[in-house]
Amino acid sequence: MTSGGDSPGMNAAIRAVVRTGIYNGLEVFGIMRGFQGLIEDDIYQMESRSVANIIQRGGTILKTARCKEFLLPEGRQKAYETLKRHGIEGLILIGGDGTFRGAVEFSSEFDIPVIGIAGTIDKDIQGTDFTIGFDTAVNTAVEAIDKIRDTADAHDRLFIIEVMGRDAGYIALHSGIATGAEHILVPERKTDLEDLMLSLEEKERRKKLVNIVVVAEGEGFGGADEVAKLIKKRLPNAETRVCILGHIQRGGAPSCLDRLIASRMGYHAVECLIEGRYNVFVGILNNKMNYVPLENVGKKKGKISDEWMKIVKILAS
Ligand code: F6P
């Protein structure tokens, strides 16, 4: 199943799971709409051909949902009964930390091995250098910000651009550095507002009027609109515009990197089931497969190093 927010490359992971499973003589079932489909018995048997021609497609052929019913014991009981009815002996879930938390609870209550595959554009899961969809989302953001810089340059404008990432600032950091953003605001680091304003004032004095401020949606001031208000208050002459990139970051054909990691993780998730390596998620750390116990998910917060922030500051001056 795929669960939580979709991310480009989920289809490539589904394809890898289905084909590796069939190669190993397993029967593979697709669960529609994540935990919701499990509760409602929305399941079908998949063949090798079921996943033909999907590696290049964004979204997820299994659809996805954020399921409130699964948070209740009765919901999880129904889900378990569905699995028993179909004789399903193991579950592979492609999703983010919310999905993994649901899986941990489920596997502790019922005797069903679960394997996670890290799929989220936010890259907010510790224990893996990659999550499926992040690379594509960042490239989408980069393409959009490059275009915005063209018009910002033509009009001498200051753009405040909001990118996704929930509580994580990686999309902002990566897309901001790659587009030469003058400032990047992330939730992991407390923004020094005075420092930001002084820097923008100094740029105004030397007639550097084209500026891009990339704001992660989870950053402390409340998003790009609020940051824009603060800037406008302090720099009334600045021509500011706000752009919220939104769900465009979740769609589109997955990048080559996302297709590769999805294929690799999907293959290894099936291997985990076969080898009895249960209740872990499959990540890639230092170019090696890393199997992280699902119960550890969410215990550590991601960090953005001083070095990165220094690089941002020096390169954007
Ligand atoms: O987790 C992926 C993500 O796109 C976040 O970056 C964002 O905060 C959230 O999902 C948006 O969720 P929804 O599509 O349910 O509004």
Side-chain angles (χ1 to χ4, degrees):
M1 69 158 79
T2 46
S3 169
D6 64 318
S7 65
M10 280 184 162
N11 280 327
I14 295 169
R15 173 178 177 270
V17 169
V18 171
R19 294 208 167 152
T20 308
I22 291 170
Y23 172 83
N24 284 288
L26 303 178
E27 283 185 278
V28 185
F29 292 81
I31 301 165
M32 298 300 291
R33 296 175 291 118
F35 293 121
Q36 197 66 48
L38 193 54
I39 291 171
E40 294 169 8
D41 200 348
D42 194 359
I43 288 184
Y44 71 105
Q45 186 158 4
M46 299 182 86
E47 307 300 338
S48 188
R49 301 248 340 245
S50 318
V51 291
N53 202 19
I54 65 166
I55 194 169
Q56 76 281 22
R57 282 167 56 192
T60 155
I61 59 162
L62 293 178
K63 297 189 181 282
T64 186
R66 301 193 195 277
C67 175
K68 293 215 173 80
E69 210 182 333
F70 196 75
L71 300 175
L72 307 170
E74 307 86 74
R76 294 195 291 277
Q77 179 66 40
K78 281 190 202 160
Y80 178 69
E81 282 159 18
T82 307
L83 290 175
K84 286 287 126 185
R85 206 172 300 127
H86 289 275
I88 292 171
E89 294 167 313
L91 204 53
I92 294 181
L93 310 99
I94 307 165
D97 58 349
T99 301
F100 294 170
R101 274 195 299 276
V104 172
E105 185 125 34
F106 192 53
S107 74
S108 69
E109 289 171 345
F110 302 101
D111 186 21
I112 284 284
V114 292
I115 311 290
I117 295 179
T120 165
I121 64 163
D122 302 335
K123 203 168 90 73
D124 56 352
I125 303 176
Q126 304 314 303
T128 182
D129 291 333
F130 305 101
T131 62
I132 298 168
F134 174 75
D135 185 62
T136 308
V138 165
N139 278 296
T140 301
V142 164
E143 199 184 329
I145 297 170
D146 282 347
K147 288 179 176 162
I148 292 168
R149 193 180 275 284
D150 287 346
T151 173
D153 191 53
H155 285 265
D156 279 339
R157 281 176 175 161
L158 190 169
F159 266 85
I160 299 102
I161 302 171
E162 184 177 306
V163 296
M164 277 188 168
R166 206 182 287 276
D167 300 326
Y170 297 109
I171 298 180
L173 182 75
H174 288 224
S175 64
I177 292 176
T179 54
E182 278 69 18
H183 294 278
I184 304 172
L185 278 53
V186 292
E188 290 84 351
R189 317 276 307 199
K190 192 169 171 8
T191 302
D192 183 337
L193 192 60
E194 187 56 21
D195 195 50
L196 172 69
M197 297 305 173
L198 287 173
S199 166
L200 289 172
E201 279 173 348
E202 185 273 329
K203 288 183 173 83
E204 195 176 62
R205 276 197 299 280
R206 64 177 157 97
K207 300 271 178 283
K208 183 186 183 323
L209 303 176
V210 184
N211 288 294
I212 302 284
V213 179
V214 176
V215 180
E217 64 177 349
E219 200 282 335
F221 294 114
D225 282 317
E226 296 308 313
V227 173
K229 278 184 208 153
L230 292 169
I231 293 177
K232 195 71 191 162
K233 212 167 156 190
R234 182 79 172 252
L235 288 95
N237 296 328
E239 238 207 286
T240 56
R241 290 289 186 277
V242 171
C243 181
I244 297 173
L245 294 188
H247 285 80
I248 190 171
Q249 294 159 98
R250 287 245 292 267
S255 66
C256 175
L257 177 65
D258 278 328
R259 296 179 202 196
L260 288 177
I261 61 168
S263 302
R264 203 171 165 198
M265 289 178 183
Y267 166 85
H268 283 283
V270 176
E271 292 279 303
C272 279
L273 272 184
I274 293 169
E275 289 165 7
R277 198 196 290 261
Y278 296 156
N279 304 339
V280 294
F281 85 81
V282 179
I284 300 173
L285 202 59
N286 301 325
N287 203 26
K288 289 203 177 67
M289 300 319 293
N290 193 30
Y291 305 103
V292 183
L294 283 170
E295 62 196 20
N296 291 353
V297 169
K299 285 196 179 148
K300 267 205 232 150
K301 281 261 159 235
K303 284 194 185 132
I304 289 181
S305 67
D306 292 344
E307 188 201 9
W308 272 126
M309 297 318 282
K310 194 170 170 193
I311 289 174
V312 172
K313 203 162 189 175
I314 291 173
L315 299 193
S317 55

